[in-house]
Amino acid sequence: MDLWEMRALPAGAVTLHDARRDEHRTVDLEQFEIGVFAVTEEQFAEVLGVPAQHPRRPARDLSWLRAIRFCNAASEWEGLDPAYAFEGEDITWHVDSDGYRLPTEAEWEYACRAGSVGPHYGPLSEVAWSASDGVDAPQDVGMKLPNLNGLFDTLGNVWEWCWDFLDPERYDDYRVFRGGGFADDSWSVRASVRRGGAPRMHHDDVGIRLARGGFDGQDAAQGWSAKADIERGGRGGSRPMGWTPRS
């Protein structure tokens, strides 16, 4: 099992759902690469020199900022141009870089669905570690069946950080994580479910999956742009009753 294995996915399209606004948008994607497995403790240990208690389990309990820094460290490890630049905690994604990075939400959902349109790409008990398995920690990667893209554990086991903001109007700088975890029921372990946390937050059921791919342009690629994040969050527009911005 090559834990660093990446899978090249062809260009395609995916439809994303914004539940707060009850809107759908279709994103056209260029070809990109994504990890066959979530990043493991073994990979963290190799790149960052930290202990690995369970080498084959997904690395977890890491913040979005640490995930971003790991992407850059993995790029430098392999002689690639880092995808991210730091100015304090302000992060810039150089979209033309070929280094390792977090997938955009659109890339993540496209990779996870592998052409499926339902909530799961197969019977949940066969493809994902979830609450129904009764485990109390993530399990070794690759122990359940892969999706049709050949990717393991995109549902269940651990949630996976993405690049995008969750909802800037409601949650400020929260970033998205996707996929559900080992302690979640089937409602949360679905291809369309969105959750998130602040960049410094860390959770014992959230990890990462690496992506790669450089694109022409600046501050926009693969369904993401700073402008779209703001617009989808509702900033500058009306808000549904009961939704108030964080201060």
Side-chain angles (χ1 to χ4, degrees), residues 20-21 169-170 233-245:
R20 180 159 82 83
R21 291 191 168 191
E169 180 68 13
R170 180 66 181 91
R235 190 168 295 167
S238 62
R239 294 188 295 274
M241 184 176 296
W243 288 82
T244 54

Side-chain angles (χ1 to χ4, degrees), residues 6-29:
M6 304 289 287
R7 184 62 45 86
L9 300 187
V14 64
T15 299
L16 304 179
H17 180 215
D18 183 336
R20 180 159 82 83
R21 291 191 168 191
D22 193 23
E23 293 178 349
H24 293 80
R25 65 185 180 103
T26 298
V27 176
D28 293 318
L29 295 169

Side-chain angles (χ1 to χ4, degrees), residues 152-227:
F152 292 84
D153 306 307
T154 53
L155 293 179
N157 221 15
V158 294
W159 297 82
E160 297 172 359
W161 285 113
C162 293
W163 165 252
D164 308 62
F165 286 106
L166 176 65
D167 184 335
E169 180 68 13
R170 180 66 181 91
Y171 295 109
D172 293 337
D173 59 355
Y174 277 33
R175 299 285 180 157
V176 170
F177 46 75
R178 294 292 219 97
F182 64 90
D184 292 293
D185 61 26
S186 60
W187 179 254
S188 294
V189 188
R190 295 180 294 138
S192 61
V193 170
R194 308 174 74 239
R195 291 187 183 169
R200 284 185 170 273
M201 283 183 178
H202 49 91
H203 314 265
D204 68 0
D205 60 352
V206 179
I208 62 172
R209 184 180 302 261
L210 296 176
R212 279 188 67 191
F215 311 97
D216 294 335
Q218 186 176 2
D219 296 330
Q222 300 293 79
W224 167 81
S225 73
K227 178 181 178 181

Side-chain angles (χ1 to χ4, degrees), residues 120-134:
H120 314 121
Y121 48 78
L124 195 61
S125 63
E126 298 179 12
V127 303
W129 294 103
S130 68
S132 63
D133 291 296

Side-chain angles (χ1 to χ4, degrees), residues 88-146:
E89 292 189 1
D90 292 330
I91 314 300
T92 299
W93 172 23
H94 295 299
V95 300
D96 60 344
S97 168
D98 67 346
Y100 290 112
R101 57 180 177 79
L102 299 181
T104 66
E105 267 204 280
E107 288 177 326
W108 186 94
E109 189 162 332
Y110 177 74
C112 175
R113 287 190 176 279
S116 66
V117 295
H120 314 121
Y121 48 78
L124 195 61
S125 63
E126 298 179 12
V127 303
W129 294 103
S130 68
S132 63
D133 291 296
V135 297
D136 60 2
Q139 303 300 295
D140 288 0
V141 299
M143 301 299 289
K144 296 272 188 170
L145 295 178

